[in-house]
Amino acid sequence: MDIETLRIFAEVAHRGSFSEVARTRGTEPSSISRAVGVIEAELGERLFHRTTRKLSLTEAGALYLARIEPLVAQLEEAGAEARAIGRGPVGTLRLSVSVAYGMVRVMPMLARFRARYPELTVELLMSDTQVDLVREGIDLAVRLAPAVEANLIATRLVSTRYRVVAAPEWLAAHPLAVPADLAACEVLRFTLAGFRDRWIFRDERGAEEVVPVGGRLLISSALGLREAALAGMGPALLADWMIADDLAAGRLVDCFPAHDVAATDFDTGVWAIYPSRNFLPGKVRAMLDFLRAELPKPQVLAGR
C-alpha cells in the first residue's frame, strides 16, 4: 500500500465522493474506487457506506482516517524536505484567493515567486466563494476579513483600510463636505451583505457616524465597482490595496481623508490561512514568507 493510495482514501473521505476526487485528479471514478478497494481488501474491512446518493465513513473508516492522515502528512513533508535540499521547495502548491485580490495583488508578484522557486508548481485558484480548505485540498488561502475560523491556523499579512473614493469629475459636480452628504447621493453599492445599505465613519476623535447609502447601481464585483468609480459613475467604498495606484495617480480622490471608513468592522486584514497541522510544509512556508515580504504595507494617512 503506497502513500498515494492512502492520500486518495483521505481525499474521498473529506469530499464524500469518488467522482469529485476523480474530477480534481483528472481521472476516472473507477480508478479512485479501485484505490479505496485495495485498502479495504488489505484491511478486510469496509471503509465506506455506499449508496446511490451518499458516501460516508464506516466506524472502521473513521478510525483509520484519524490514524493515517497525520502519518501521510508527515511522510509527504519528509519527502518534500528531502527533495528540497539544494533546490528549494518542490511539488504543487494549491493557493486560493479572491478574484479581486488575486488580480490586483497576487498576479503581479507571481512571476517573481516563480523565478525564486522554479521547481514548485503553483495552482492559483481565484474564486469569491469561501472554499473548504480540507475538502478542496487547499494548501494555503488568502482571505480578506476581520477574523477567520477558529479551526484554522491564520496569520495576518497586512491590515486593510477602506476609503470612499470617486473620480475627480464626479466630485466637481457633486461636492461632499461631510459623510452625511452621501445620504443624498447615488453611490455605487457592493452587493455583499453589510456593504450595500450603510457605511460607518470614524473621525479623528474616535466619534462614529452611521450613514445610510443608496443607489440604483449594485455590483457584485469589487473590480467592477472600481471601474464604475473610475468612469465617474459615483462614489464607492473600496479597500486601500485596490485603489492605492489610482489615488496616487489622481484617477480617484479620497472623499473623506480625515475619516476611517468601514462597512462592518474597522479592524480588517488580509489573512493567510491553512489547515491546522502539526507542521508547516516547506512549500507553504515559502509562499508565506514571500507574501509577508512582498505585499505592500498600507500607508498611514496624513494626520493619523
Side-chain angles (χ1 to χ4, degrees), residues 40-57:
E40 291 179 323
E42 179 76 17
L43 299 176
E45 292 284 348
R46 293 188 67 81
L47 300 178
F48 292 100
H49 296 296
R50 296 169 173 84
T51 69
T52 56
R53 300 180 59 184
K54 187 177 180 182
L55 188 71
S56 60
L57 286 167

Side-chain angles (χ1 to χ4, degrees), residues 101 105 144 156-163 238-245 247 254 260 266-271 291-302 304:
Y101 201 79
R105 281 289 180 251
L144 288 76
R156 188 192 291 251
L157 297 173
V158 293
S159 295
T160 60
R161 291 180 180 270
Y162 280 84
R163 316 305 310 159
L238 294 169
D240 52 3
W241 52 264
M242 178 174 289
I243 54 171
D245 292 343
L247 291 174
D254 188 342
D260 292 322
F266 288 103
D267 184 21
T268 60
V270 179
W271 299 83
L291 291 173
R292 288 193 188 103
E294 296 289 328
L295 284 176
K297 303 300 184 287
Q299 296 182 353
V300 177
L301 298 176
R304 283 278 185 260

Side-chain angles (χ1 to χ4, degrees), residues 25 38 47 54 65 103 130-132 143 148-149 172 175 238 286 304:
R25 288 173 163 265
V38 167
L47 300 178
K54 187 177 180 182
L65 176 68
M103 293 298 295
Q130 187 164 301
V131 298
D132 184 317
R143 290 183 183 166
V148 296
E149 300 94 322
L238 294 169
R304 283 278 185 260

Side-chain angles (χ1 to χ4, degrees), residues 7-43:
R7 190 185 293 118
I8 289 172
F9 161 68
E11 290 179 19
V12 172
H14 288 299
R15 291 175 180 266
S17 169
F18 291 131
S19 58
E20 279 195 34
V21 175
R23 176 180 53 80
T24 302
R25 288 173 163 265
T27 187
E28 295 297 323
S30 58
S31 67
I32 303 300
S33 179
R34 282 195 299 271
V36 172
V38 167
I39 303 177
E40 291 179 323
E42 179 76 17
L43 299 176

Side-chain angles (χ1 to χ4, degrees), residues 48-290:
F48 292 100
H49 296 296
R50 296 169 173 84
T51 69
T52 56
R53 300 180 59 184
K54 187 177 180 182
L55 188 71
S56 60
L57 286 167
T58 63
E59 182 181 358
L63 176 63
Y64 192 64
L65 176 68
R67 296 300 294 269
I68 65 98
E69 196 163 30
L71 298 177
V72 169
Q74 290 177 36
L75 286 170
E76 289 177 338
E77 178 64 7
E81 288 181 352
R83 291 190 296 272
I85 294 176
R87 59 179 182 145
V90 295
T92 298
L93 174 71
R94 287 172 56 83
L95 174 64
S96 172
V97 64
S98 71
V99 176
Y101 201 79
M103 293 298 295
V104 175
R105 281 289 180 251
V106 177
M107 286 298 296
M109 302 187 305
L110 203 53
R112 296 194 298 277
F113 183 81
R114 293 283 300 113
R116 187 175 301 179
Y117 302 107
E119 298 294 325
L120 183 60
T121 297
V122 178
E123 189 173 344
L124 182 61
L125 308 170
M126 291 193 289
S127 171
D128 291 328
T129 301
Q130 187 164 301
V131 298
D132 184 317
L133 272 63
V134 174
R135 181 179 176 85
E136 297 298 326
I138 303 298
D139 295 300
L140 182 67
V142 176
R143 290 183 183 166
L144 288 76
V148 296
E149 300 94 322
N151 63 330
L152 298 170
I153 296 180
T155 179
R156 188 192 291 251
L157 297 173
V158 293
S159 295
T160 60
R161 291 180 180 270
Y162 280 84
R163 316 305 310 159
V164 175
V165 296
E169 58 269 25
W170 186 92
L171 278 175
H174 308 83
L176 298 172
V178 294
D181 291 341
L182 288 168
C185 297
E186 284 268 332
V187 309
L188 302 170
R189 295 195 287 161
F190 195 22
T191 58
L192 189 65
F195 281 73
R196 56 190 293 164
D197 299 318
R198 64 171 200 163
W199 296 342
I200 309 170
F201 292 82
R202 183 171 63 193
D203 65 19
E204 293 171 313
R205 298 169 299 169
E208 295 185 11
E209 177 184 7
V210 178
V211 177
V213 294
R216 284 166 286 190
L217 180 58
L218 293 91
I219 303 175
S220 64
S221 161
L223 290 172
L225 278 176
R226 172 181 171 270
E227 290 301 318
L230 287 168
M233 301 175 70
L237 179 63
L238 294 169
D240 52 3
W241 52 264
M242 178 174 289
I243 54 171
D245 292 343
D246 298 318
L247 291 174
R251 294 185 293 267
L252 291 173
V253 177
D254 188 342
C255 299
F256 306 103
H259 288 76
D260 292 322
V261 194
T264 58
D265 197 309
F266 288 103
D267 184 21
T268 60
V270 179
W271 299 83
I273 64 175
Y274 45 96
S276 180
R277 293 179 180 174
N278 295 325
F279 62 88
L280 187 65
K283 60 185 179 182
V284 176
R285 187 182 303 111
M287 178 58 82
L288 271 176
D289 291 344
F290 179 82

